[in-house]
Amino acid sequence: MIDETGDRKDGHKTAHVARQYLGKLGKIDNGVVSVTSLWADEGVYYPLEIEPYTPQSSFAKGKDDPDFRTKLKIALQLVQQALQELW
């Protein structure tokens, strides 16, 4: 499974903090968002990997910057990493 979690954070000097949608609040606000891969079955639920999302506004070329990754791309990479570790 994949999940994203956002937490409100004041200021702009902390890495990954920007005005972005925070699902926990249900609105756009200043905060930080993390993407998590999770293992879940009938009896167990635990995180495997977690990675902070860096908003496009943090990159010089925005979404066209080669280092920018969407939350979906981060999630896919986390799932691929988890699968490699299992096999």
Side-chain angles (χ1 to χ4, degrees):
M1 293 176 46
I2 54 173
D3 189 22
E4 84 170 67
T5 303
D7 289 305
R8 191 172 179 329
K9 176 81 172 100
D10 289 329
H12 295 280
K13 294 184 180 183
T14 303
H16 313 289
V17 173
R19 287 194 56 77
Q20 54 191 318
Y21 182 79
L22 304 175
K24 190 177 198 178
L25 300 176
K27 66 179 185 175
I28 295 174
D29 203 344
N30 207 51
V32 62
V33 174
S34 295
V35 180
T36 308
S37 61
L38 308 144
W39 174 264
D41 64 23
E42 298 83 23
V44 179
Y45 176 92
Y46 60 91
L48 297 172
E49 299 289 335
I50 187 166
E51 186 170 330
Y53 166 72
T54 305
Q56 66 181 357
S57 61
S58 298
F59 294 94
K61 295 181 182 178
K63 67 180 182 180
D64 295 325
D65 195 291
D67 290 329
F68 171 70
R69 294 179 299 150
T70 64
K71 292 176 222 173
L72 187 57
K73 188 166 186 172
I74 293 170
L76 179 60
Q77 290 171 341
L78 292 178
V79 169
Q80 289 171 336
Q81 180 180 341
L83 289 172
Q84 283 180 333
E85 291 174 9
L86 287 173
W87 311 112

